[in-house]
């Protein structure tokens, strides 16, 4: 289990990690040819609306992370993904929910991006130029930066 990220920078809420955990599949769509990754905004009317994040959604009963990710990305952004490569997990204590994010890298998908929930999208490189960024997204940007540093031969 990874360490707990408290989304608002304060101490964990009462009940802490004893609250029910919402399992969420998250897709880090990477376009290696262009050297960028996809971020989308939280849809209008949802918690943290307008914040930038990697797309995905809650696992339904009986779903694996890969199954949930395929379903969510088809429903939300209109693409059909190939293989989902499990990458990292992060437990995030948001004011509204305790969420375990299952991040998967995705290099292969088909279909044109269609924002079915009224969200925006942006292909980004590091450092990102969009804001605000959802707290649960920040560790992913750090992991991508670490990987880029290692790939470039930096410590």
């Amino acid at each position: 289990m990874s360490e707990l990220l408290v989304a608002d920078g304060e101490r964990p809420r009462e009940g802490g990690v004893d609250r029910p955990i919402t399992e969420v599949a998250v897709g880090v769509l990477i376009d290696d040819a262009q050297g960028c990754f996809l971020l989308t905004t939280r849809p209008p009317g949802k918690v943290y609306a307008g914040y930038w994040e990697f797309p995905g959604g809650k696992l339904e009963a009986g779903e694996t992370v890969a199954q949930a990710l395929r379903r969510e990305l088809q429903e939300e952004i209109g693409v059909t993904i190939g293989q989902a490569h499990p990458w990292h997990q992060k437990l995030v204590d948001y004011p509204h929910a305790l969420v375990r994010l299952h991040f998967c890298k995705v290099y292969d998908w088909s279909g044109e991006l269609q924002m079915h929930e009224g969200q925006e999208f942006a292909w980004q490189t590091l450092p990102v130029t969009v804001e605000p960024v959802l707290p649960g997204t920040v560790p992913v940007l750090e992991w991508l930066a670490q990987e880029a540093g290692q790939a470039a031969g930096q410590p």
Side-chain angles (χ1 to χ4, degrees), residues 7-8 10-11 17 20 22 28 30 32 34 45 55-56 60 74 83 93 95 104 108-109 115 136 145-147 149:
D8 60 7
E10 300 294 326
R11 63 182 178 76
V17 293
T22 301
V28 181
I30 298 174
D32 272 338
Q34 301 297 319
E60 293 181 354
Q74 181 64 51
Q83 186 172 356
D93 186 6
C104 298
D108 177 39
W109 62 89
M115 302 295 111
Q146 289 170 358
E147 286 185 358

Side-chain angles (χ1 to χ4, degrees), residues 27 36-37 46 51 59 77 79 92-93 109:
C36 56
F37 51 86
K46 290 198 176 180
Y51 277 69
L59 276 69
I77 65 173
V79 297
V92 183
D93 186 6
W109 62 89

Side-chain angles (χ1 to χ4, degrees), residues 4-88:
L4 178 69
L5 171 66
V6 180
D8 60 7
E10 300 294 326
R11 63 182 178 76
R13 268 143 291 288
E14 192 166 318
V17 293
D18 292 333
R19 295 188 297 153
I21 297 175
T22 301
E23 304 288 342
V24 175
V26 183
V28 181
L29 276 66
I30 298 174
D31 183 339
D32 272 338
Q34 301 297 319
C36 56
F37 51 86
L38 181 70
L39 289 176
T40 60
T41 55
R42 300 271 306 153
K46 290 198 176 180
V47 176
Y48 287 98
Y51 277 69
W52 290 88
E53 67 177 353
F54 291 92
K58 296 176 190 174
L59 276 69
E60 293 181 354
E63 275 186 322
T64 66
V65 170
Q67 289 168 336
L69 189 58
R70 280 188 181 85
R71 177 185 50 76
E72 286 285 348
L73 295 185
Q74 181 64 51
E75 290 173 3
E76 287 184 13
I77 65 173
V79 297
T80 301
I81 65 169
Q83 186 172 356
H85 302 271
W87 187 36
H88 287 284

